C-alpha cells in the first residue's frame, strides 16, 4: 500500500499482525550555519534549509486518532515544527513494545536524521500529507 497521508499510515499500522509503535521526530527548517546568499533567498521563499530535530515521541498505533490530534498535542509543547518523520517498530508476538523499549530506537532515528538520512522514514507535513524531500 502506498502511504500518501497520515490516515493511510494509521490504517496500515493497525492492519499489521503484530502491534505497532510509531516513532515521531518533529523537525524545524532552519538556515544552516554561515548560509550563502542563495541559501538565504531559498529559505526566505520557503525552500531549503536544514531540518533540525526539535521534539520526538513514540505512540502505539491505538493511541492515535488523526493528524489534527497529533498536531494539537505537539502544539501544547510550545515547540514549532515543519516536518515530522515517522518510523515504526513491531511488537513481539501479541505484546506491544513499551515507550522504554522504543527509546533506543527513537534516539537512533534522531541521530540518523541529524546525519541527513531522511529517505528511510516517512516525511509528513502539518496537514498529514506525505512529502518527498529533495
Amino acid at each position: 500500500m502506498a502511504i500518501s497521508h497520515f490516515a493511510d499510515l494509521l490504517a496500515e499500522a493497525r492492519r499489521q499482525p503484530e502491534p505497532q509503535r510509531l516513532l515521531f521526530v518533529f523537525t524545524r527548517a532552519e538556515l544552516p550555519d554561515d548560509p550563502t546568499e542563495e541559501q538565504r533567498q531559498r529559505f526566505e521563499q520557503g525552500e531549503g534549509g536544514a531540518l533540525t530535530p526539535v521534539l520526538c515521541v513514540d505512540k502505539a498505533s491505538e493511541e492515535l486518532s488523526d493528524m489534527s490530534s497529533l498536531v494539537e498535542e505537539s502544539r501544547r509543547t510550545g515547540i514549532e515544527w515543519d516536518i515530522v518523520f515517522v518510523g515504526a517498530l513491531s511488537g513481539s508476538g501479541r505484546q506491544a513494545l513499551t515507550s522504554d523499549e522504543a527509546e533506543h530506537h527513537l534516539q537512533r532515528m534522531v541521530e540518523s536524521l541529524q546525519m541527513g538520512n531522511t529517505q528511510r522514514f516517512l516525511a509528513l507535513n502539518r496537514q498529514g500529507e506525505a512529502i518527498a524531500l529533495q
Side-chain angles (χ1 to χ4, degrees), residues 8 14 31 44 53 59 62 111:
D8 300 336
R14 290 174 179 153
L31 272 173
E44 288 171 1
K59 299 269 188 188
E62 304 82 38
E111 291 168 2

Side-chain angles (χ1 to χ4, degrees), residues 13-123:
R14 290 174 179 153
R15 270 195 288 274
Q16 298 305 305
E18 295 185 344
Q20 300 293 300
R21 181 156 289 276
L22 300 177
L23 309 178
F24 297 93
V25 177
F26 298 83
T27 63
R28 178 176 34 236
E30 299 177 341
L31 272 173
D33 294 334
D34 301 317
T36 65
E37 186 57 35
E38 179 185 345
Q39 287 173 321
R40 187 178 306 283
Q41 287 175 353
R42 287 188 65 220
F43 186 78
E44 288 171 1
Q45 295 171 357
E47 300 175 3
L51 292 172
T52 303
V54 294
L55 180 68
C56 56
V57 69
D58 63 281
K59 299 269 188 188
S61 58
E62 304 82 38
E63 295 178 272
L64 299 161
S65 58
D66 56 28
M67 188 65 181
S68 62
S69 297
L70 185 64
V71 169
E72 175 58 25
E73 184 178 334
S74 71
R75 187 193 64 73
R76 289 191 300 265
T77 68
I79 298 172
E80 291 296 318
W81 59 275
D82 299 301
I83 296 172
V84 62
F85 290 91
V86 186
L89 292 173
S90 293
S92 55
R94 296 214 179 269
Q95 290 283 49
L97 293 175
T98 66
S99 270
D100 288 341
E101 292 170 320
E103 182 64 31
H104 170 75
H105 297 282
L106 191 56
Q107 184 57 43
R108 294 208 42 190
M109 185 177 168
V110 169
E111 291 168 2
S112 186
L113 290 168
Q114 287 173 326
M115 294 174 45
N117 300 323
T118 60
Q119 58 277 19
R120 293 182 38 209
F121 309 106
L122 177 65

